[in-house]
Amino acid sequence: MDPRPDDARFPVDQLQVGDLLLMLGKSQLSKLIAWFGDSRYSHVSLVSADGLLIEGIRPAVKESPLADRLAADGPVVFVDAYRSLAADGGALDADDRAAVLRHARSMIGTTFAQDDLVTIGLLVALRGKPRHLPVWLRWLIREATEHAIRADSDRMLCSEFAYRAFADADTVPARRLARPIVPGEPSDLPFPDVDYAKLQEEVREMLKPKHKVLERGVVGAEAVMESAPAWDTVDALELDDATLDASIAALRTRMGLESPHMENANVVDGLFGAGLPALGPPNPKLVRPRDLADSPASRYLGRL
């Protein structure tokens, strides 16, 4: 499980090409992405050259200055650095890191038309969902999965981009640099402290113009939501497990994933199961930021 690096610091100038940067965004949706991903991280980027990073981020895979991400007024709470190793745990040589960078750069400009709400929908579809959800979270999951279905997206998570930068690099033999992924046990991370007013603003912005009811509020919502902001509460209260499961299954069908996995995932009580094969290469679409941090080919360096 990813560490709690409260004190350890790592100098930015000692990063190497191909190192992984795992981070938590400042938005309320980022908190939920991290929780649904069973981790403290909501996003992962790849260290490029000359003070740059490459990442799968809306609207397309891009390369940008690392300094912008680390600025005090930047979009993240913290950034943790991980040294990328060879699949056997040894050091990557310069040629290996160059191969990873070439492939990562070859994906620059690839459409990545998904927002944080789509990411939550994909995580739920890929990894399952917890039971006994509060009304507002049931509503959010349903909206997230339907939003992901409607989105003009290649449905690639940021962690899939990072995984493919290694797995699909031009090496002999092929996939020599693929990150080994070890299925981990579900964590006991507490549910995040969500600012419901800010969360509603973020969701409202992403759902425009779908749910006009969010613009005018819902009378009596406070009685249902325990003083939380107004959601589409009538719709949410009528959202039973079968309806919610149907929405998730529809997204899985669009993603080309088999239904038995969904059935297995839905029986999990609490946080959802890992959903990764015990042997053999993983489905890149199932790789989370946590999986990259936990890989034997990653070594924690410190917090930037």
Side-chain angles (χ1 to χ4, degrees):
M1 184 58 188
D2 40 278
R4 295 178 179 269
D6 298 323
D7 300 316
R9 310 298 293 191
F10 188 78
V12 174
D13 61 6
Q14 291 185 26
L15 291 171
Q16 296 180 358
V17 169
D19 285 347
L20 296 175
L21 303 178
L22 289 107
M23 59 200 76
L24 175 66
K26 290 181 177 177
S27 73
Q28 305 307 302
L29 285 168
S30 289
K31 295 179 184 179
L32 291 171
I33 287 171
W35 185 75
F36 276 114
D38 204 17
S39 175
R40 296 178 182 86
Y41 302 125
S42 62
H43 187 67
V44 59
S45 300
L46 184 77
V47 174
S48 181
D50 303 319
L52 301 174
L53 57 79
I54 306 177
E55 60 192 344
I57 195 169
R58 189 176 183 178
V61 174
K62 69 176 183 178
E63 193 171 36
S64 58
L66 172 58
D68 292 350
R69 191 60 52 85
L70 298 177
D73 59 350
V76 298
V77 179
F78 62 80
V79 179
D80 288 344
Y82 287 78
R83 176 60 33 87
S84 292
L85 307 173
D88 62 2
L92 287 177
D93 62 29
D95 289 341
D96 288 339
R97 287 186 273 111
V100 171
L101 181 58
R102 282 195 302 272
H103 188 64
R105 281 180 167 166
S106 76
M107 291 187 277
I108 290 176
T110 301
T111 300
F112 195 86
Q114 69 180 51
D115 51 38
D116 285 352
L117 195 58
V118 168
T119 298
I120 288 176
L122 297 180
L123 282 171
V124 170
L126 293 171
R127 315 297 296 196
K129 66 176 176 64
R131 292 290 194 180
H132 314 301
L133 301 173
V135 169
W136 71 269
L137 189 52
R138 293 170 64 84
W139 182 90
L140 181 67
I141 289 174
R142 195 278 308 278
E143 292 301 326
T145 52
E146 292 190 353
H147 186 56
I149 291 172
R150 293 190 303 271
D152 179 17
S153 171
D154 61 6
R155 302 180 295 281
M156 182 169 68
L157 295 169
C158 60
S159 45
E160 180 185 352
F161 162 77
Y163 179 85
R164 288 186 181 279
F166 290 88
D168 299 341
D170 184 14
T171 61
V172 179
R175 295 185 56 85
R176 178 171 59 81
L177 299 179
R179 309 291 79 192
I181 301 298
V182 180
E185 295 297 324
S187 76
D188 58 355
L189 288 173
F191 191 78
D193 182 15
V194 175
D195 184 323
Y196 296 101
K198 290 182 180 179
L199 178 63
Q200 184 179 348
E201 289 296 324
E202 293 172 10
V203 174
R204 176 189 288 121
E205 183 65 26
M206 292 176 183
L207 290 181
K208 285 181 177 178
K210 181 178 183 288
H211 275 270
K212 297 298 184 182
V213 67
L214 292 177
E215 299 293 341
R216 62 178 182 269
V218 180
V219 176
E222 291 78 6
V224 177
M225 302 299 295
E226 298 179 354
S227 299
W231 299 87
D232 191 353
T233 55
V234 174
D235 199 16
L237 286 171
E238 295 176 350
L239 188 60
D240 59 18
D241 276 338
T243 303
L244 192 60
D245 289 348
S247 180
I248 296 170
L251 177 56
R252 288 182 58 81
T253 297
R254 176 161 178 167
M255 295 174 69
L257 298 173
E258 297 180 0
S259 58
H261 179 83
M262 187 72 253
E263 293 168 2
N264 291 335
N266 270 344
V267 301
V268 177
D269 190 16
L271 287 174
F272 32 83
L276 287 167
L279 299 172
N283 180 340
K285 291 189 177 301
L286 298 180
V287 175
R288 303 164 295 177
R290 170 187 169 177
D291 298 319
L292 294 171
D294 288 350
S295 172
S298 296
R299 176 167 58 86
Y300 175 67
L301 297 174
R303 183 157 292 181
L304 302 184

